C-alpha cells in the first residue's frame, strides 16, 4: 500500500481484475510499488484534496484512473521537495477523456493551491483546433461560472489568467521559431503522434525550470505514420515500465490492446480505454464503428489505430509490415562491400521536388543499399511533408538544394564518387524510362548508356519489370535480407509506398500523393531490378585500381 487512497484504489482495481487491463498497466503498478518501497517519498494529501475539490466547477468528475494519474503527477514529492513524476504520459484510445483530464489539471495548476506564482501553462499541438481543445474546456468552465470566476480569473479568447497567482494559460501551434525564450511552469503536448520531429518539443521545454515544480503532460492516441516521435517514445516508455531504463521522472500511463486479435473481442476493448466501463454511450458507438471495421478494415483502420491503439501491421497494398521495415536497420560495413561490384538506381518525380539515388551491393545473402536524397527548397510539396527533414539532413541522409531545381549531375556525381570511394565498379544502372531523359547527358559523361552498341549498361525500367520483382522484394523484407543502415528516411519512404495496379501491371505507388515521398524506395527498386548482374561471374573489373583518383581527374 502506498498510503494515498486515490493511488491505492486504482492499483487494487487493476489487481482485482474489475475489467481487463493491458500488460503495461500491471507493469506500471509494479513499478510504482517498487519506487515507493525504495524511495523516501511523500504524498501531499491536503493539496490533493484541495485540488479535487475544484471538480465542483466542472461538468464531470474524474474517473479512478484520472485521480490516480493526477495524484502521482501533481502531489508526490521526494525528500528534497521536488516532484517525483513531473512528466506524465497518457497514451490511450480515442474517447478515453484525455483532453478532459488535461483541462482539469491545468485549471488546478493555475490556482493558489499549486502555490507557485507565474506558473504559466502552454498547450502545444500541430493544429490550432487541437491545441485549443483542452483550453476551450477551461474557458467554458469560466464562462459557465462567470459571476464567481470573475473574482479569480480574467480571460479572453486567447488566454486565461489567474488574478492571484498571475499564471497564464495559452494554446500554441507548431510554429516553433516563435516559441523560444518563454518561462512556462508547465508544457502540454496534445496528439503527440502528429509530431514529425523533436524540434518543436525541444524548444517548448527549453524554458522549463525557471519557475518551481516544472511539469510536462503528454496526451495521445496512436497514429498512422510510423517511425516518427511517438514510435521512439513508446519504445522508451515500454523500457521504463519493464524496469530496463530509469524513469527519470516519467510516469507512462499506457492503455492499448495486448494483441491484434483482441480487436474482435469487445470484452478486451477496456484495455485501450479504462473509461469505457463508465460510458455506455461510447461503448455503443464503438460497436457501430466495429461493424464498419469488420466490413472494411482498410477504410476504417482508425478503429484499430486510434480506438484500440493497435495500428494495422499492413495497410491496403502496402510494401510490407512496419516490423519487416525495421529489419532493414542493419549495419553496412565498408569492409564487406569495399571492392565489390554494385548496381545503381535513380528516381524522382520532378527535379524541383525530390531526387534519390543509391548503390546496391549483393554480398552472400544480404543486399546493402547506400543511398542519398536531395530536396528542392522551392518544392510546392515541402510544407505538406510531415517528416523531420532537417534532422535527416543533419544526419547526412539528404541535402536541401536552394535552386529552381536539383541539377541532374548532382545525383550522378554522388553515385560515381561513392562507388569510387569503395573501389567498386557499377555494372549497371536502373532508371525509369520516363526519368532517364533528364539524366541522360550526365550519365553519358560517365560512359553509361542504354544503347546496345555501347554495351547497354543502363536498363530503362518499365512497369512490367517492376511487377516481376515485387515478390522478391516482399521476400527480402520478410527475411531481413535488405540492409539500409539506421536510415530513417528510407524506412519512411518504404512505409509511404503501396502496391497499385496501373493498366495490366502492378507497381509501387504512393499511399499519399504529395506529403509522403517514395523516391528513396523507388530508387532502391530500380537498382534491385538490375541486381541480377551481381550474381553473374565477374567481368574482370580491376580490384587494385584506385577508382576515386580516376573519377576525380
Amino acid at each position: 500500500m502506498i498510503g494515498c487512497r486515490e493511488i491505492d484504489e486504482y492499483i487494487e482495481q487493476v489487481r482485482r481484475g474489475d475489467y481487463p487491463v493491458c500488460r503495461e498497466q500491471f507493469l506500471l503498478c509494479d513499478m510504482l510499488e517498487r519506487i515507493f518501497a525504495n524511495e523516501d517519498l511523500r504524498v501531499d494529501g491536503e493539496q490533493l484534496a484541495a485540488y479535487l475539490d475544484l471538480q465542483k466547477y466542472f461538468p464531470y468528475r474524474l474517473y479512478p484512473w484520472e485521480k490516480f494519474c493526477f495524484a502521482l503527477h501533481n502531489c508526490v514529492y521526494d525528500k528534497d521537495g521536488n516532484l517525483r513524476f513531473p512528466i506524465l504520459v497518457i497514451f490511450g484510445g480515442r474517447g478515453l477523456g484525455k483532453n478532459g483530464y488535461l483541462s482539469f489539471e491545468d485549471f488546478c495548476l493555475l490556482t493558489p493551491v499549486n502555490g507557485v506564482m507565474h506558473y504559466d501553462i502552454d498547450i502545444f499541438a500541430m493544429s490550432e483546433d487541437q491545441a485549443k481543445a483542452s483550453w476551450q474546456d477551461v474557458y467554458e468552465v469560466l464562462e459557465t461560472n462567470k459571476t464567481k470566476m470573475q473574482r479569480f480569473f480574467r480571460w479572453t479568447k486567447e488566454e486565461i489568467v489567474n488574478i492571484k497567482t498571475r499564471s497564464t494559460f495559452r494554446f500554441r501551434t507548431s510554429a516553433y521559431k516563435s516559441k523560444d525564450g518563454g518561462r512556462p511552469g508547465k508544457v502540454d503536448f496534445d496528439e503527440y503522434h502528429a509530431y514529425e520531429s523533436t524540434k518543436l518539443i525541444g524548444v517548448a521545454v527549453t524554458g522549463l525550470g525557471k519557475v518551481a515544480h516544472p511539469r510536462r503532460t503528454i496526451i495521445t492516441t496512436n497514429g498512422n505514420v510510423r517511425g516518427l516521435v511517438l514510435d521512439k517514445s513508446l519504445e522508451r516508455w515500454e523500457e521504463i515500465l519493464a524496469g530496463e531504463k530509469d524513469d527519470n521522472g516519467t510516469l507512462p500511463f499506457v492503455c492499448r490492446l495486448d494483441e491484434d486479435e483482441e480487436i474482435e473481442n469487445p470484452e478486451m476493448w477496456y484495455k485501450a480505454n479504462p473509461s469505457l466501463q463508465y460510458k455506455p454511450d461510447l461503448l455503443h458507438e464503438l460497436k457501430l464503428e466495429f461493424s464498419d471495421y469488420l466490413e472494411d478494415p482498410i477504410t476504417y483502420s482508425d478503429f484499430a489505430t486510434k480506438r484500440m491503439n493497435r495500428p494495422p501491421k499492413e495497410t491496403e497494398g502496402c510494401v510490407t509490415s512496419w516490423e519487416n521495415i525495421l529489419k532493414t536497420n542493419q549495419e553496412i560495413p565498408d569492409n564487406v562491400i569495399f571492392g565489390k561490384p554494385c548496381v545503381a538506381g535513380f528516381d524522382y518525380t520532378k527535379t524541383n521536388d525530390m531526387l534519390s539515388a543509391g548503390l546496391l551491393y549483393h554480398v552472400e545473402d544480404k543486399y546493402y543499399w547506400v543511398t542519398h536524397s536531395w530536396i528542392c527548397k522551392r518544392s510546392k510539396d515541402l510544407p505538406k511533408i510531415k517528416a523531420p527533414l532537417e534532422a535527416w539532413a543533419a544526419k547526412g541522409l539528404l541535402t536541401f538544394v536552394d535552386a529552381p531545381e536539383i541539377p541532374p549531375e548532382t545525383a550522378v556525381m554522388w553515385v560515381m564518387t561513392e562507388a569510387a570511394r569503395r573501389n567498386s565498379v557499377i555494372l549497371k544502372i536502373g532508371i525509369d524510362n520516363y526519368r532517364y531523359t533528364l539524366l541522360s547527358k550526365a550519365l553519358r559523361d560517365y560512359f553509361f548508356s542504354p544503347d546496345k552498341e555501347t554495351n547497354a549498361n543502363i536498363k530503362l525500367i518499365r512497369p512490367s519489370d517492376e511487377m516481376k520483382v515485387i515478390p522478391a522484394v516482399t521476400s527480402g523484407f520478410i527475411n531481413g535480407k535488405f540492409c539500409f543502415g539506421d536510415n530513417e528516411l528510407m524506412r519512411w519512404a518504404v512505409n509511404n509506398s503501396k502496391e497499385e495496379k496501373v493498366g495490366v501491371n502492378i507497381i509501387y505507388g504512393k499511399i499519399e500523393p504529395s506529403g509522403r515521398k517514395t523516391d528513396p524506395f523507388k530508387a532502391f527498386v530500380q537498382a534491385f531490378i538490375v541486381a541480377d548482374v551481381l550474381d553473374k561471374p565477374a567481368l574482370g573489373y580491376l580490384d587494385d585500381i584506385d577508382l576515386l583518383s580516376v573519377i576525380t581527374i
Side-chain angles (χ1 to χ4, degrees):
M1 298 290 286
I2 286 170
C4 170
R5 186 183 63 184
E6 287 74 14
I7 299 173
D8 288 333
E9 284 185 351
Y10 181 75
I11 291 176
E12 289 171 6
Q13 189 180 72
V14 170
R15 301 287 193 210
R16 283 196 310 266
D18 290 357
Y19 60 93
V21 296
C22 66
R23 171 177 172 270
E24 286 81 4
Q25 288 295 298
F26 286 108
L27 290 175
L28 177 59
C29 293
D30 293 343
M31 169 186 148
L32 290 170
E33 289 173 342
R34 184 173 61 250
I35 288 173
F36 274 87
N38 295 316
E39 298 180 20
D40 185 7
L41 302 179
R42 174 181 63 90
V43 181
D44 191 332
E46 290 186 8
Q47 185 183 49
L48 177 57
Y51 278 138
L52 295 180
D53 185 56
L54 297 175
Q55 292 179 88
K56 61 190 176 187
Y57 299 116
F58 281 72
Y60 52 83
R61 295 293 180 267
L62 300 186
Y63 297 132
W65 73 263
E66 293 176 297
K67 294 178 183 178
F68 168 80
C69 289
F70 187 95
L72 289 164
H73 186 37
N74 298 292
C75 301
V76 177
Y77 300 88
D78 64 20
K79 62 181 180 179
D80 297 318
N82 300 310
L83 290 169
R84 177 56 182 86
F85 301 106
I87 303 172
L88 171 64
V89 175
I90 301 178
F91 177 75
R94 180 182 286 169
L96 176 65
K98 298 180 294 294
N99 282 107
Y101 169 85
L102 190 61
S103 303
F104 177 75
E105 179 175 88
D106 288 346
F107 176 85
C108 289
L109 295 175
L110 294 172
T111 70
V113 179
N114 184 16
V116 182
M117 296 291 291
H118 299 287
Y119 199 82
D120 297 340
I121 302 174
D122 293 332
I123 297 183
F124 286 84
M126 296 304 289
S127 71
E128 182 172 309
D129 285 346
Q130 192 61 51
K132 199 173 181 179
S134 291
W135 185 95
Q136 186 68 33
D137 286 347
V138 176
Y139 179 87
E140 294 299 332
V141 166
L142 298 178
E143 286 286 308
T144 302
N145 301 276
K146 197 167 188 177
T147 302
K148 187 166 188 176
M149 287 300 177
Q150 283 177 335
R151 295 163 48 201
F152 308 109
F153 291 90
R154 54 181 174 82
W155 60 93
T156 67
K157 294 285 187 179
E158 295 182 350
E159 67 176 29
I160 295 168
V161 181
N162 184 279
I163 296 171
K164 189 168 184 177
T165 66
R166 301 178 192 173
S167 301
T168 302
F169 187 26
R170 301 185 184 92
F171 54 90
R172 306 285 199 174
T173 59
S174 58
Y176 64 85
K177 291 180 181 177
S178 65
K179 308 301 181 283
D180 210 350
R183 44 180 299 160
K186 182 172 187 275
V187 173
D188 300 326
F189 297 101
D190 197 349
E191 292 297 13
Y192 206 60
H193 68 81
Y195 290 86
E196 67 264 20
S197 80
T198 57
K199 177 165 281 188
L200 168 63
I201 297 166
V203 173
V205 302
T206 298
L208 289 172
K210 297 176 182 178
V211 298
H213 302 319
R215 290 176 175 85
R216 304 178 212 178
T217 300
I218 296 168
I219 61 172
T220 190
T221 64
N222 218 315
N224 293 310
V225 182
R226 306 269 62 81
L228 301 184
V229 173
L230 178 61
D231 281 351
K232 294 179 179 178
S233 298
L234 267 172
E235 290 178 14
R236 183 164 54 84
W237 299 335
E238 289 169 0
E239 290 171 342
I240 289 171
L241 289 169
E244 298 169 359
K245 181 173 286 188
D246 191 284
D247 65 83
N248 199 29
T250 299
L251 181 74
F253 188 83
V254 175
C255 299
R256 59 181 174 183
L257 299 189
D258 291 315
E259 305 292 341
D260 291 340
E261 293 74 18
E262 293 176 342
I263 292 174
E264 299 189 14
N265 183 355
E267 292 297 320
M268 296 295 107
W269 294 352
Y270 299 92
K271 291 185 177 183
N273 191 338
S275 298
L276 200 55
Q277 58 185 314
Y278 312 108
K279 295 182 174 182
D281 290 342
L282 176 60
L283 180 60
H284 179 69
E285 172 60 26
L286 291 187
K287 289 180 178 179
L288 294 177
E289 293 179 16
F290 179 56
S291 298
D292 293 332
Y293 172 79
L294 287 177
E295 289 287 332
D296 188 349
I298 302 302
T299 301
Y300 296 98
S301 63
D302 270 4
F303 181 82
T305 301
K306 296 185 178 296
R307 289 294 197 185
M308 302 297 148
N309 275 336
R310 294 293 299 187
K313 287 186 170 62
E314 299 184 13
T315 54
E316 183 179 19
C318 68
V319 174
T320 190
S321 70
W322 180 246
E323 287 77 6
N324 288 335
I325 294 173
L326 290 176
K327 293 177 184 178
T328 65
N329 188 358
Q330 301 180 51
E331 186 183 0
I332 305 177
D334 270 346
N335 66 311
V336 170
I337 62 176
F338 187 85
K340 300 293 193 300
C342 61
V343 295
F346 295 86
D347 191 77
Y348 63 92
T349 303
K350 296 175 288 186
T351 55
N352 61 353
D353 185 20
M354 186 177 192
L355 195 158
S356 298
L359 299 172
L360 185 64
Y361 295 81
H362 190 195
V363 183
E364 296 180 353
D365 67 337
K366 297 283 188 179
Y367 288 89
Y368 298 92
W369 175 240
V370 179
T371 182
H372 196 78
S373 295
W374 294 262
I375 291 185
C376 183
K377 280 191 172 182
R378 305 182 193 184
S379 168
K380 293 180 180 179
D381 289 344
L382 201 55
K384 303 174 187 175
I385 298 176
K386 302 300 182 184
L389 299 179
E390 293 180 2
W392 291 344
K395 291 181 179 180
L397 302 177
L398 64 86
T399 299
F400 285 99
V401 177
D402 192 5
E405 69 171 5
I406 303 163
E409 59 272 15
T410 297
V412 175
M413 183 62 184
W414 181 88
V415 162
M416 300 304 165
T417 302
E418 289 298 310
R421 189 170 72 82
R422 294 170 176 82
N423 220 38
S424 300
V425 170
I426 301 175
L427 299 182
K428 205 158 193 175
I429 291 175
I431 186 170
D432 181 270
N433 184 45
Y434 168 75
R435 290 160 179 80
Y436 169 67
T437 305
L438 190 70
L439 299 180
S440 59
K441 181 182 182 306
L443 289 168
R444 285 181 185 274
D445 288 344
Y446 290 98
F447 309 104
F448 283 90
S449 168
D451 301 332
K452 291 182 179 179
E453 61 271 19
T454 58
N455 203 24
N457 50 11
I458 291 180
K459 179 175 178 60
L460 302 182
I461 307 296
R462 299 178 179 276
S464 57
D465 298 313
E466 193 166 317
M467 182 170 66
K468 291 174 185 176
V469 302
I470 285 178
V473 171
T474 301
S475 176
F477 279 114
I478 291 172
N479 294 294
K481 292 181 179 290
F482 299 149
C483 308
F484 298 162
D486 188 8
N487 193 321
E488 298 171 1
L489 172 58
M490 270 302 299
R491 296 195 291 269
W492 176 71
V494 176
N495 200 46
N496 293 341
S497 307
K498 68 175 183 177
E499 296 175 20
E500 62 180 22
K501 191 169 184 180
V502 177
V504 298
N505 299 299
I506 296 174
I507 65 169
Y508 290 119
K510 299 178 178 181
I511 289 177
E512 194 275 318
S514 56
R516 296 175 63 178
K517 301 298 180 184
T518 63
D519 307 72
F521 173 63
K522 289 285 281 188
F524 167 79
V525 173
Q526 312 289 24
F528 189 78
I529 289 170
V530 298
D532 59 330
V533 301
L534 299 175
D535 301 324
K536 296 177 180 178
L539 301 178
Y541 62 91
L542 303 178
D543 290 320
D544 298 328
I545 292 181
D546 183 352
L547 292 175
L548 187 57
S549 65
V550 175
I551 209 75
T552 55
I553 291 176

